[in-house]
Amino acid sequence: MASDLPVTAEGDKESGLGNWKNLGYELFKEKFGDEVFETKRKTQYQFPSPFFGKAGLSWNTTLLKVAFLTPAYQTTKRGSHGNGVGASGYAKIVDNPQFPQDSFFQKGRMFKVRLRHANVFYTDDTVTDGRSIAIKFDDTELGGPLDLICNTGRVGPFCNLPGTLAFGKATKSGPEASEKFCYETPANYMTLIENVRRHTESYADQRYYTQMPYVYTPEDGRKRLAKFRVIPRDLKPETGLLSEEDQRNVWNLLLNRRPDETRSESYLRDEYKERMKKGEVHYTIQIQIHDWDSEKDSDTFFSVMHYWDNHPWMDLAHVTATTLLTDLDAEKTSFSLYNRPALLDFVKAKNQYDYNSIAHARLAAYDASRKVRQYTRKAKEPENTITYMVSISTSESKERKKAGTNDDVFLTIIGTGGRTSKNQLGTVFYDDFEAGDTRVYKVQAEPVGEVIMLNLERAGSDDWHVSVIHVTNAETQDEVTFPCYRWVPNKVTLRSGAATLAFKDEHEELRLQRQIEIQERQSVYKWTTNEVYDGFPGFIQEDGHSSLPPDARFNNLKGRNFLEANIEAQKKYALSGFLEKFDNWERIGDYVQIYQRFPEDLDMNPVDSIVELWQKDEEFGRQCLNGINPVQISRCNTIPDNLPVTNELMQKFMTRGKTLHEEIHDGHVYILSYEEIGGIPRFNKDKDERFVAEPICLLYVRASGQLVPIAIQLFQTPGETNPIWTPDDEWGWTLAKLHVKAADAQFHQLYAHLTKTHLIMEGFTMPMMRQLPSVHPVYKLLLPHIRHTMAINTIGRAVLVAEGGTVDKTMALGGGGHMVFLRKMFGKFKMVEYNFPEFLKHRGVHEVDKLPNYYYRDDGLLMWDAISNFTDGILSLYYHSDGDVQNDDELQAWILEIHERGLKVWPDNDDHDVPTTLKTFQELQQLMTSLIFNASCQHAAVNFNQLHYYAFAPNYPMTTTAPPPTSKDVTYEDVCHALPTKKLATEALTISYTLSRFSDDELWLGEFPDEHFTEDTAKKVIAQFGHDLKDVSAKIHERNKKLRQFPYTYLLPQRVPNSIAI
């Protein structure tokens, strides 16, 4: 219930009152006797009839506004809570809330905050007065999602608007008027004692209360009432409570400084500043909730002068003040009851005597005072200033359209010893912040100690992409670099460039800022809830490319190149339209006519050679090792039970005179198997029926080192209608190989390419954006290698795999089968497939002497070693032991989210072997090497050669248009009939052309124009990486001199982009 304030705080151990007693009622009774006391107590909340209703409310509100506006006009100060001291910092909602869940006070949520302490009425800190704290849930002067305004005292000294005016008039009119006010009712006496403090030691040890109740509506929709208070986190006893002697003469303590007072007028503000210089100041915000029954509850629950019995205080948030505001910024920061989330509200007042009239009047008065002060305030020049030279580089327009801005730009420098005021940057008669510009600005400001962060703000609606900012102390010449390389929202906080781990950050503000940055990213990078993609790696929630966060989208040049390639390809496709008069080709060689119509901006020499050699077994074997899908082949350790080949059947195709069993033992027999295609629906719509086999292909390494196919079975179950094909079968052998290639195309496009590079990399990328701050070394290390990956995947989901997309237009498993296949293959994925050397061993293809001429393997190992040295060099700068890895909570949150969301184990999936924790440096280093290798080298190896191998459809059809043969009476016409139609072939060529192109702004492996690492030690490692890649390139070039017809160039460092962006 709501009742009179108890004289003690017994039962509320966090109140800080200890054994202190409020003697107001006792002293009133002592003065007037029991009878008068009881009479006054019974009638003290009885008020005159509000004859004028809302008119009376309006008039009294106007009087209060005048009381607040007068000092605002005369002195530019607030009407109350005048001189103050401010700080910025952070608030975090508790992790285990005991209050109802809601959309604003979400557990663990972080807020930047500003807070301000002040005296309620008097500018002299020594005068007996109320003390206050106001907390803004944002680091800004105005606005914000919530402002809490709290004063000392469990209850307030007035309960309605006339009482507010009477109290203000009495306390400013002198001792006699204050004494008269106290003796009007026992409640007046008691609440005045409750609110004021005399010998306060610090603002930081007080308890502060909103006193006014809010209507609180959490997620369950039930309306409740809520009050808030702010207490010191260390629960230090509250100082300044009035002694019995002071309570007897409280009216004599107000208004004027005592004659015997020796303390400074600003001693509380000075003490708080000194406290902040020594470290952070910690508070706890608590909430008190009443289950409101609007029909049964008394109106006294809304009374500021009434206390809620039996309503426990619950921790709501922990607040850490980290940095002092300048006096100017503290004064400019305004707090308003209008700043509140939708779940907090006030009941509308009916008249001036309504308990809710206080909230009504404060809303109006505070806001009016703020507006007046905003226009009358005179900027106070700071003392003891130094000069900071600030260099800001705006990004190049070639890469990013509209990188420059015409918005007003503001900068706040934050250091270990404070922060500057917000400074507007700009040059008279100069168009600042144009694309490609670097300009230096002079900032005259208070010294802030070691510069550690910047607040960068812009006012307006322009975009702005900033590369880097340098801040130099003009006196000491100390320079701090702030990498940005991102689109700047209206407000962003930048850290200095040195990478650090959270537990090694020296300053609490830096540690808290990491959490804020992660939280902000998590609100933007959200996991998809699209059930269509259940069973897939996790990806970002999006509604098309334009809905992506700005930094995840294609830049202007990349997007334009992608569009131009599509348009050019479609144009050539239209020119080939006359070829569609007939569905099938009369001659296999006619397929050449399609790719010859494409532009000459791509090297087509390999295609010409493939057209000449595609039917040869040696070319088939070469492509298994060094073609579009070099990851399918595995060593055959035993002949599968479902492939009934015999030594007699195979003997003539083996060149060493050994038995099949002996050749298998010696490592000369290899296998391709496509059993996963079994049970997957094929495309069959609108008289367009497509086919793909589920073959097994046996291959043999000749004594010359050439790999050739020696046996093919087109389905997994042996039988009379599923013969084993050999090189003796003439056109049947050609057709069998064609079906193997068609099956391989499904695996290449949908698994080796789409799933294993694009989709799985996004499963790592999303947790990186959601769990690692930009200062984290792993974030800095991986960022260049996830560039544009989410953008191309978003377009890919819309253009490639969606219904009616490219897969439907080109592939045998289109029409929905591809979605089943993608789920099936991701369900089988294991992390060993991302570790290049281990996956080679896993497939048994790692031994050069047994499987020569495997240039994808050889070059891949060279690249892996270079990347491994690079990741080891970078990571060892920051992780000095396995313990550092284990203690990195951000890193552990990243790998856990990969396990739980990015590479989620869906029902019926195999475990992907993604760990839930990283325990050793070696684990981390191997994982980083794997991710960078797959984002760069592996994607390059299976993507940028697509046009070479798919251009001539008979070489690598994405589908066949006739079912696999069931008998060996195959003719040339059967081969032609099985090949893709002209339309299918042209569609396949179109997408191959688009995907095989490099962008004009491509960044090759080892090129890092965005210098996220600013430390010299890291730059040396990056430079060494560049040298290592040059060595790799030289070795590949030297080897390729011997491979005149088909040099393997797909893993040349200068042809390997940093990331998956096409």
Side-chain angles (χ1 to χ4, degrees), residues 764 782 831 834 894-895 898 915 918 922-932:
F764 286 96
L782 286 183
M831 277 302 296
Y834 253 43
W894 173 64
I895 195 66
I898 295 166
L918 293 171
Q922 183 179 11
E923 277 185 281
L924 173 61
Q925 188 268 336
Q926 286 285 293
L927 179 58
M928 292 301 102
T929 304
S930 297
L931 295 181
I932 294 174

mmCIF file with all atom_site columns, all heavy atoms in Angstrom, residues 764 782 831 834 894-895 898 915 918 922-932:
data_model
loop_
_atom_site.group_PDB
_atom_site.id
_atom_site.type_symbol
_atom_site.label_atom_id
_atom_site.label_alt_id
_atom_site.label_comp_id
_atom_site.label_asym_id
_atom_site.label_entity_id
_atom_site.label_seq_id
_atom_site.pdbx_PDB_ins_code
_atom_site.Cartn_x
_atom_site.Cartn_y
_atom_site.Cartn_z
_atom_site.occupancy
_atom_site.B_iso_or_equiv
_atom_site.pdbx_formal_charge
_atom_site.auth_seq_id
_atom_site.auth_comp_id
_atom_site.auth_asym_id
_atom_site.auth_atom_id
_atom_site.pdbx_PDB_model_num
ATOM 1   N N   . PHE A 1 764 ? 30.574 -17.814 -40.651 1.00 0.00 ? 764 PHE A N   1
ATOM 2   C CA  . PHE A 1 764 ? 31.636 -17.286 -39.795 1.00 0.00 ? 764 PHE A CA  1
ATOM 3   C C   . PHE A 1 764 ? 31.581 -15.758 -39.715 1.00 0.00 ? 764 PHE A C   1
ATOM 4   O O   . PHE A 1 764 ? 31.937 -15.165 -38.695 1.00 0.00 ? 764 PHE A O   1
ATOM 5   C CB  . PHE A 1 764 ? 33.008 -17.708 -40.333 1.00 0.00 ? 764 PHE A CB  1
ATOM 6   C CG  . PHE A 1 764 ? 33.341 -19.153 -40.113 1.00 0.00 ? 764 PHE A CG  1
ATOM 7   C CD1 . PHE A 1 764 ? 33.119 -20.092 -41.108 1.00 0.00 ? 764 PHE A CD1 1
ATOM 8   C CD2 . PHE A 1 764 ? 33.872 -19.585 -38.913 1.00 0.00 ? 764 PHE A CD2 1
ATOM 9   C CE1 . PHE A 1 764 ? 33.418 -21.428 -40.920 1.00 0.00 ? 764 PHE A CE1 1
ATOM 10  C CE2 . PHE A 1 764 ? 34.179 -20.921 -38.706 1.00 0.00 ? 764 PHE A CE2 1
ATOM 11  C CZ  . PHE A 1 764 ? 33.946 -21.849 -39.711 1.00 0.00 ? 764 PHE A CZ  1
ATOM 12  N N   . LEU A 1 782 ? 40.440 -10.666 -40.069 1.00 0.00 ? 782 LEU A N   1
ATOM 13  C CA  . LEU A 1 782 ? 39.471 -11.277 -40.979 1.00 0.00 ? 782 LEU A CA  1
ATOM 14  C C   . LEU A 1 782 ? 38.728 -10.276 -41.859 1.00 0.00 ? 782 LEU A C   1
ATOM 15  O O   . LEU A 1 782 ? 38.225 -10.651 -42.927 1.00 0.00 ? 782 LEU A O   1
ATOM 16  C CB  . LEU A 1 782 ? 38.441 -12.090 -40.181 1.00 0.00 ? 782 LEU A CB  1
ATOM 17  C CG  . LEU A 1 782 ? 38.909 -13.415 -39.592 1.00 0.00 ? 782 LEU A CG  1
ATOM 18  C CD1 . LEU A 1 782 ? 37.734 -14.113 -38.905 1.00 0.00 ? 782 LEU A CD1 1
ATOM 19  C CD2 . LEU A 1 782 ? 39.493 -14.324 -40.658 1.00 0.00 ? 782 LEU A CD2 1
ATOM 20  N N   . MET A 1 831 ? 34.496 -29.645 -40.515 1.00 0.00 ? 831 MET A N   1
ATOM 21  C CA  . MET A 1 831 ? 35.502 -28.586 -40.521 1.00 0.00 ? 831 MET A CA  1
ATOM 22  C C   . MET A 1 831 ? 36.831 -29.019 -41.117 1.00 0.00 ? 831 MET A C   1
ATOM 23  O O   . MET A 1 831 ? 37.620 -28.182 -41.549 1.00 0.00 ? 831 MET A O   1
ATOM 24  C CB  . MET A 1 831 ? 35.714 -28.047 -39.102 1.00 0.00 ? 831 MET A CB  1
ATOM 25  C CG  . MET A 1 831 ? 34.700 -26.997 -38.675 1.00 0.00 ? 831 MET A CG  1
ATOM 26  S SD  . MET A 1 831 ? 34.648 -25.558 -39.764 1.00 0.00 ? 831 MET A SD  1
ATOM 27  C CE  . MET A 1 831 ? 36.282 -24.874 -39.537 1.00 0.00 ? 831 MET A CE  1
ATOM 28  N N   . TYR A 1 834 ? 37.821 -27.492 -44.350 1.00 0.00 ? 834 TYR A N   1
ATOM 29  C CA  . TYR A 1 834 ? 38.352 -26.127 -44.422 1.00 0.00 ? 834 TYR A CA  1
ATOM 30  C C   . TYR A 1 834 ? 39.864 -26.078 -44.157 1.00 0.00 ? 834 TYR A C   1
ATOM 31  O O   . TYR A 1 834 ? 40.483 -25.045 -44.376 1.00 0.00 ? 834 TYR A O   1
ATOM 32  C CB  . TYR A 1 834 ? 37.607 -25.236 -43.430 1.00 0.00 ? 834 TYR A CB  1
ATOM 33  C CG  . TYR A 1 834 ? 36.643 -24.284 -44.103 1.00 0.00 ? 834 TYR A CG  1
ATOM 34  C CD1 . TYR A 1 834 ? 35.823 -24.712 -45.144 1.00 0.00 ? 834 TYR A CD1 1
ATOM 35  C CD2 . TYR A 1 834 ? 36.553 -22.952 -43.706 1.00 0.00 ? 834 TYR A CD2 1
ATOM 36  C CE1 . TYR A 1 834 ? 34.955 -23.842 -45.773 1.00 0.00 ? 834 TYR A CE1 1
ATOM 37  C CE2 . TYR A 1 834 ? 35.685 -22.072 -44.334 1.00 0.00 ? 834 TYR A CE2 1
ATOM 38  C CZ  . TYR A 1 834 ? 34.884 -22.521 -45.364 1.00 0.00 ? 834 TYR A CZ  1
ATOM 39  O OH  . TYR A 1 834 ? 34.022 -21.659 -45.994 1.00 0.00 ? 834 TYR A OH  1
ATOM 40  N N   . TRP A 1 894 ? 32.399 -15.556 -30.026 1.00 0.00 ? 894 TRP A N   1
ATOM 41  C CA  . TRP A 1 894 ? 32.401 -15.691 -31.493 1.00 0.00 ? 894 TRP A CA  1
ATOM 42  C C   . TRP A 1 894 ? 32.322 -17.157 -31.906 1.00 0.00 ? 894 TRP A C   1
ATOM 43  O O   . TRP A 1 894 ? 31.456 -17.544 -32.701 1.00 0.00 ? 894 TRP A O   1
ATOM 44  C CB  . TRP A 1 894 ? 33.667 -15.030 -32.044 1.00 0.00 ? 894 TRP A CB  1
ATOM 45  C CG  . TRP A 1 894 ? 33.902 -15.229 -33.511 1.00 0.00 ? 894 TRP A CG  1
ATOM 46  C CD1 . TRP A 1 894 ? 33.132 -14.779 -34.542 1.00 0.00 ? 894 TRP A CD1 1
ATOM 47  C CD2 . TRP A 1 894 ? 34.994 -15.943 -34.115 1.00 0.00 ? 894 TRP A CD2 1
ATOM 48  N NE1 . TRP A 1 894 ? 33.683 -15.154 -35.752 1.00 0.00 ? 894 TRP A NE1 1
ATOM 49  C CE2 . TRP A 1 894 ? 34.821 -15.863 -35.517 1.00 0.00 ? 894 TRP A CE2 1
ATOM 50  C CE3 . TRP A 1 894 ? 36.094 -16.618 -33.600 1.00 0.00 ? 894 TRP A CE3 1
ATOM 51  C CZ2 . TRP A 1 894 ? 35.716 -16.454 -36.400 1.00 0.00 ? 894 TRP A CZ2 1
ATOM 52  C CZ3 . TRP A 1 894 ? 36.994 -17.206 -34.485 1.00 0.00 ? 894 TRP A CZ3 1
ATOM 53  C CH2 . TRP A 1 894 ? 36.798 -17.108 -35.870 1.00 0.00 ? 894 TRP A CH2 1
ATOM 54  N N   . ILE A 1 895 ? 33.199 -17.990 -31.371 1.00 0.00 ? 895 ILE A N   1
ATOM 55  C CA  . ILE A 1 895 ? 33.207 -19.394 -31.795 1.00 0.00 ? 895 ILE A CA  1
ATOM 56  C C   . ILE A 1 895 ? 31.939 -20.101 -31.335 1.00 0.00 ? 895 ILE A C   1
ATOM 57  O O   . ILE A 1 895 ? 31.405 -20.975 -32.044 1.00 0.00 ? 895 ILE A O   1
ATOM 58  C CB  . ILE A 1 895 ? 34.481 -20.124 -31.286 1.00 0.00 ? 895 ILE A CB  1
ATOM 59  C CG1 . ILE A 1 895 ? 34.671 -21.456 -32.025 1.00 0.00 ? 895 ILE A CG1 1
ATOM 60  C CG2 . ILE A 1 895 ? 34.443 -20.341 -29.795 1.00 0.00 ? 895 ILE A CG2 1
ATOM 61  C CD1 . ILE A 1 895 ? 34.974 -21.322 -33.485 1.00 0.00 ? 895 ILE A CD1 1
ATOM 62  N N   . ILE A 1 898 ? 29.233 -19.251 -33.786 1.00 0.00 ? 898 ILE A N   1
ATOM 63  C CA  . ILE A 1 898 ? 29.440 -20.020 -35.014 1.00 0.00 ? 898 ILE A CA  1
ATOM 64  C C   . ILE A 1 898 ? 28.857 -21.420 -34.838 1.00 0.00 ? 898 ILE A C   1
ATOM 65  O O   . ILE A 1 898 ? 28.146 -21.937 -35.705 1.00 0.00 ? 898 ILE A O   1
ATOM 66  C CB  . ILE A 1 898 ? 30.937 -20.101 -35.363 1.00 0.00 ? 898 ILE A CB  1
ATOM 67  C CG1 . ILE A 1 898 ? 31.480 -18.713 -35.698 1.00 0.00 ? 898 ILE A CG1 1
ATOM 68  C CG2 . ILE A 1 898 ? 31.164 -21.048 -36.540 1.00 0.00 ? 898 ILE A CG2 1
ATOM 69  C CD1 . ILE A 1 898 ? 32.991 -18.649 -35.735 1.00 0.00 ? 898 ILE A CD1 1
ATOM 70  N N   . PRO A 1 915 ? 34.054 -26.296 -32.782 1.00 0.00 ? 915 PRO A N   1
ATOM 71  C CA  . PRO A 1 915 ? 34.113 -26.362 -31.318 1.00 0.00 ? 915 PRO A CA  1
ATOM 72  C C   . PRO A 1 915 ? 33.237 -25.290 -30.671 1.00 0.00 ? 915 PRO A C   1
ATOM 73  O O   . PRO A 1 915 ? 32.883 -24.296 -31.302 1.00 0.00 ? 915 PRO A O   1
ATOM 74  C CB  . PRO A 1 915 ? 35.595 -26.107 -31.021 1.00 0.00 ? 915 PRO A CB  1
ATOM 75  C CG  . PRO A 1 915 ? 36.077 -25.295 -32.191 1.00 0.00 ? 915 PRO A CG  1
ATOM 76  C CD  . PRO A 1 915 ? 35.304 -25.798 -33.378 1.00 0.00 ? 915 PRO A CD  1
ATOM 77  N N   . LEU A 1 918 ? 37.553 -22.281 -27.934 1.00 0.00 ? 918 LEU A N   1
ATOM 78  C CA  . LEU A 1 918 ? 38.913 -22.398 -28.446 1.00 0.00 ? 918 LEU A CA  1
ATOM 79  C C   . LEU A 1 918 ? 39.848 -22.442 -27.237 1.00 0.00 ? 918 LEU A C   1
ATOM 80  O O   . LEU A 1 918 ? 39.805 -21.551 -26.386 1.00 0.00 ? 918 LEU A O   1
ATOM 81  C CB  . LEU A 1 918 ? 39.255 -21.218 -29.359 1.00 0.00 ? 918 LEU A CB  1
ATOM 82  C CG  . LEU A 1 918 ? 38.478 -21.169 -30.678 1.00 0.00 ? 918 LEU A CG  1
ATOM 83  C CD1 . LEU A 1 918 ? 38.745 -19.849 -31.398 1.00 0.00 ? 918 LEU A CD1 1
ATOM 84  C CD2 . LEU A 1 918 ? 38.861 -22.342 -31.575 1.00 0.00 ? 918 LEU A CD2 1
ATOM 85  N N   . GLN A 1 922 ? 47.217 -22.749 -31.095 1.00 0.00 ? 922 GLN A N   1
ATOM 86  C CA  . GLN A 1 922 ? 47.296 -23.490 -32.349 1.00 0.00 ? 922 GLN A CA  1
ATOM 87  C C   . GLN A 1 922 ? 45.910 -23.654 -32.974 1.00 0.00 ? 922 GLN A C   1
ATOM 88  O O   . GLN A 1 922 ? 45.749 -23.523 -34.191 1.00 0.00 ? 922 GLN A O   1
ATOM 89  C CB  . GLN A 1 922 ? 47.928 -24.856 -32.126 1.00 0.00 ? 922 GLN A CB  1
ATOM 90  C CG  . GLN A 1 922 ? 48.110 -25.643 -33.429 1.00 0.00 ? 922 GLN A CG  1
ATOM 91  C CD  . GLN A 1 922 ? 48.762 -26.992 -33.208 1.00 0.00 ? 922 GLN A CD  1
ATOM 92  O OE1 . GLN A 1 922 ? 48.907 -27.439 -32.069 1.00 0.00 ? 922 GLN A OE1 1
ATOM 93  N NE2 . GLN A 1 922 ? 49.154 -27.647 -34.285 1.00 0.00 ? 922 GLN A NE2 1
ATOM 94  N N   . GLU A 1 923 ? 44.895 -23.942 -32.136 1.00 0.00 ? 923 GLU A N   1
ATOM 95  C CA  . GLU A 1 923 ? 43.529 -24.052 -32.653 1.00 0.00 ? 923 GLU A CA  1
ATOM 96  C C   . GLU A 1 923 ? 43.104 -22.755 -33.331 1.00 0.00 ? 923 GLU A C   1
ATOM 97  O O   . GLU A 1 923 ? 42.542 -22.764 -34.435 1.00 0.00 ? 923 GLU A O   1
ATOM 98  C CB  . GLU A 1 923 ? 42.556 -24.332 -31.498 1.00 0.00 ? 923 GLU A CB  1
ATOM 99  C CG  . GLU A 1 923 ? 42.427 -25.761 -31.059 1.00 0.00 ? 923 GLU A CG  1
ATOM 100 C CD  . GLU A 1 923 ? 41.338 -25.884 -30.008 1.00 0.00 ? 923 GLU A CD  1
ATOM 101 O OE1 . GLU A 1 923 ? 41.611 -25.549 -28.828 1.00 0.00 ? 923 GLU A OE1 1
ATOM 102 O OE2 . GLU A 1 923 ? 40.216 -26.306 -30.345 1.00 0.00 ? 923 GLU A OE2 1
ATOM 103 N N   . LEU A 1 924 ? 43.361 -21.644 -32.664 1.00 0.00 ? 924 LEU A N   1
ATOM 104 C CA  . LEU A 1 924 ? 42.968 -20.340 -33.206 1.00 0.00 ? 924 LEU A CA  1
ATOM 105 C C   . LEU A 1 924 ? 43.722 -20.051 -34.491 1.00 0.00 ? 924 LEU A C   1
ATOM 106 O O   . LEU A 1 924 ? 43.121 -19.626 -35.498 1.00 0.00 ? 924 LEU A O   1
ATOM 107 C CB  . LEU A 1 924 ? 43.248 -19.251 -32.165 1.00 0.00 ? 924 LEU A CB  1
ATOM 108 C CG  . LEU A 1 924 ? 43.047 -17.805 -32.646 1.00 0.00 ? 924 LEU A CG  1
ATOM 109 C CD1 . LEU A 1 924 ? 41.609 -17.562 -33.085 1.00 0.00 ? 924 LEU A CD1 1
ATOM 110 C CD2 . LEU A 1 924 ? 43.453 -16.823 -31.552 1.00 0.00 ? 924 LEU A CD2 1
ATOM 111 N N   . GLN A 1 925 ? 45.018 -20.292 -34.493 1.00 0.00 ? 925 GLN A N   1
ATOM 112 C CA  . GLN A 1 925 ? 45.835 -19.973 -35.662 1.00 0.00 ? 925 GLN A CA  1
ATOM 113 C C   . GLN A 1 925 ? 45.438 -20.829 -36.861 1.00 0.00 ? 925 GLN A C   1
ATOM 114 O O   . GLN A 1 925 ? 45.345 -20.336 -37.986 1.00 0.00 ? 925 GLN A O   1
ATOM 115 C CB  . GLN A 1 925 ? 47.324 -20.174 -35.317 1.00 0.00 ? 925 GLN A CB  1
ATOM 116 C CG  . GLN A 1 925 ? 48.275 -19.692 -36.379 1.00 0.00 ? 925 GLN A CG  1
ATOM 117 C CD  . GLN A 1 925 ? 48.647 -20.795 -37.371 1.00 0.00 ? 925 GLN A CD  1
ATOM 118 O OE1 . GLN A 1 925 ? 48.566 -21.982 -37.060 1.00 0.00 ? 925 GLN A OE1 1
ATOM 119 N NE2 . GLN A 1 925 ? 49.044 -20.390 -38.567 1.00 0.00 ? 925 GLN A NE2 1
ATOM 120 N N   . GLN A 1 926 ? 45.157 -22.095 -36.629 1.00 0.00 ? 926 GLN A N   1
ATOM 121 C CA  . GLN A 1 926 ? 44.736 -22.972 -37.714 1.00 0.00 ? 926 GLN A CA  1
ATOM 122 C C   . GLN A 1 926 ? 43.370 -22.545 -38.257 1.00 0.00 ? 926 GLN A C   1
ATOM 123 O O   . GLN A 1 926 ? 43.126 -22.579 -39.472 1.00 0.00 ? 926 GLN A O   1
ATOM 124 C CB  . GLN A 1 926 ? 44.670 -24.422 -37.222 1.00 0.00 ? 926 GLN A CB  1
ATOM 125 C CG  . GLN A 1 926 ? 46.032 -25.061 -37.030 1.00 0.00 ? 926 GLN A CG  1
ATOM 126 C CD  . GLN A 1 926 ? 46.692 -25.434 -38.347 1.00 0.00 ? 926 GLN A CD  1
ATOM 127 O OE1 . GLN A 1 926 ? 46.244 -26.310 -39.066 1.00 0.00 ? 926 GLN A OE1 1
ATOM 128 N NE2 . GLN A 1 926 ? 47.781 -24.741 -38.673 1.00 0.00 ? 926 GLN A NE2 1
ATOM 129 N N   . LEU A 1 927 ? 42.492 -22.134 -37.371 1.00 0.00 ? 927 LEU A N   1
ATOM 130 C CA  . LEU A 1 927 ? 41.164 -21.688 -37.810 1.00 0.00 ? 927 LEU A CA  1
ATOM 131 C C   . LEU A 1 927 ? 41.269 -20.420 -38.652 1.00 0.00 ? 927 LEU A C   1
ATOM 132 O O   . LEU A 1 927 ? 40.625 -20.297 -39.702 1.00 0.00 ? 927 LEU A O   1
ATOM 133 C CB  . LEU A 1 927 ? 40.267 -21.445 -36.596 1.00 0.00 ? 927 LEU A CB  1
ATOM 134 C CG  . LEU A 1 927 ? 38.842 -20.952 -36.898 1.00 0.00 ? 927 LEU A CG  1
ATOM 135 C CD1 . LEU A 1 927 ? 38.101 -21.928 -37.802 1.00 0.00 ? 927 LEU A CD1 1
ATOM 136 C CD2 . LEU A 1 927 ? 38.072 -20.721 -35.599 1.00 0.00 ? 927 LEU A CD2 1
ATOM 137 N N   . MET A 1 928 ? 42.083 -19.465 -38.215 1.00 0.00 ? 928 MET A N   1
ATOM 138 C CA  . MET A 1 928 ? 42.248 -18.227 -38.989 1.00 0.00 ? 928 MET A CA  1
ATOM 139 C C   . MET A 1 928 ? 42.858 -18.526 -40.363 1.00 0.00 ? 928 MET A C   1
ATOM 140 O O   . MET A 1 928 ? 42.438 -17.956 -41.379 1.00 0.00 ? 928 MET A O   1
ATOM 141 C CB  . MET A 1 928 ? 43.161 -17.241 -38.237 1.00 0.00 ? 928 MET A CB  1
ATOM 142 C CG  . MET A 1 928 ? 42.591 -16.678 -36.963 1.00 0.00 ? 928 MET A CG  1
ATOM 143 S SD  . MET A 1 928 ? 41.043 -15.796 -37.204 1.00 0.00 ? 928 MET A SD  1
ATOM 144 C CE  . MET A 1 928 ? 39.909 -17.054 -36.630 1.00 0.00 ? 928 MET A CE  1
ATOM 145 N N   . THR A 1 929 ? 43.827 -19.413 -40.392 1.00 0.00 ? 929 THR A N   1
ATOM 146 C CA  . THR A 1 929 ? 44.432 -19.788 -41.673 1.00 0.00 ? 929 THR A CA  1
ATOM 147 C C   . THR A 1 929 ? 43.382 -20.431 -42.583 1.00 0.00 ? 929 THR A C   1
ATOM 148 O O   . THR A 1 929 ? 43.311 -20.131 -43.780 1.00 0.00 ? 929 THR A O   1
ATOM 149 C CB  . THR A 1 929 ? 45.603 -20.761 -41.445 1.00 0.00 ? 929 THR A CB  1
ATOM 150 O OG1 . THR A 1 929 ? 46.546 -20.156 -40.548 1.00 0.00 ? 929 THR A OG1 1
ATOM 151 C CG2 . THR A 1 929 ? 46.301 -21.093 -42.750 1.00 0.00 ? 929 THR A CG2 1
ATOM 152 N N   . SER A 1 930 ? 42.568 -21.307 -42.011 1.00 0.00 ? 930 SER A N   1
ATOM 153 C CA  . SER A 1 930 ? 41.526 -21.983 -42.788 1.00 0.00 ? 930 SER A CA  1
ATOM 154 C C   . SER A 1 930 ? 40.541 -20.989 -43.375 1.00 0.00 ? 930 SER A C   1
ATOM 155 O O   . SER A 1 930 ? 40.159 -21.089 -44.554 1.00 0.00 ? 930 SER A O   1
ATOM 156 C CB  . SER A 1 930 ? 40.777 -22.979 -41.897 1.00 0.00 ? 930 SER A CB  1
ATOM 157 O OG  . SER A 1 930 ? 41.623 -23.992 -41.419 1.00 0.00 ? 930 SER A OG  1
ATOM 158 N N   . LEU A 1 931 ? 40.122 -20.023 -42.567 1.00 0.00 ? 931 LEU A N   1
ATOM 159 C CA  . LEU A 1 931 ? 39.113 -19.072 -43.041 1.00 0.00 ? 931 LEU A CA  1
ATOM 160 C C   . LEU A 1 931 ? 39.674 -18.179 -44.142 1.00 0.00 ? 931 LEU A C   1
ATOM 161 O O   . LEU A 1 931 ? 39.008 -17.944 -45.161 1.00 0.00 ? 931 LEU A O   1
ATOM 162 C CB  . LEU A 1 931 ? 38.619 -18.221 -41.870 1.00 0.00 ? 931 LEU A CB  1
ATOM 163 C CG  . LEU A 1 931 ? 37.859 -18.971 -40.770 1.00 0.00 ? 931 LEU A CG  1
ATOM 164 C CD1 . LEU A 1 931 ? 37.402 -18.016 -39.688 1.00 0.00 ? 931 LEU A CD1 1
ATOM 165 C CD2 . LEU A 1 931 ? 36.679 -19.738 -41.342 1.00 0.00 ? 931 LEU A CD2 1
ATOM 166 N N   . ILE A 1 932 ? 40.875 -17.668 -43.951 1.00 0.00 ? 932 ILE A N   1
ATOM 167 C CA  . ILE A 1 932 ? 41.466 -16.795 -44.969 1.00 0.00 ? 932 ILE A CA  1
ATOM 168 C C   . ILE A 1 932 ? 41.751 -17.582 -46.243 1.00 0.00 ? 932 ILE A C   1
ATOM 169 O O   . ILE A 1 932 ? 41.494 -17.100 -47.358 1.00 0.00 ? 932 ILE A O   1
ATOM 170 C CB  . ILE A 1 932 ? 42.744 -16.127 -44.428 1.00 0.00 ? 932 ILE A CB  1
ATOM 171 C CG1 . ILE A 1 932 ? 42.385 -15.167 -43.281 1.00 0.00 ? 932 ILE A CG1 1
ATOM 172 C CG2 . ILE A 1 932 ? 43.471 -15.377 -45.540 1.00 0.00 ? 932 ILE A CG2 1
ATOM 173 C CD1 . ILE A 1 932 ? 43.579 -14.566 -42.578 1.00 0.00 ? 932 ILE A CD1 1
#
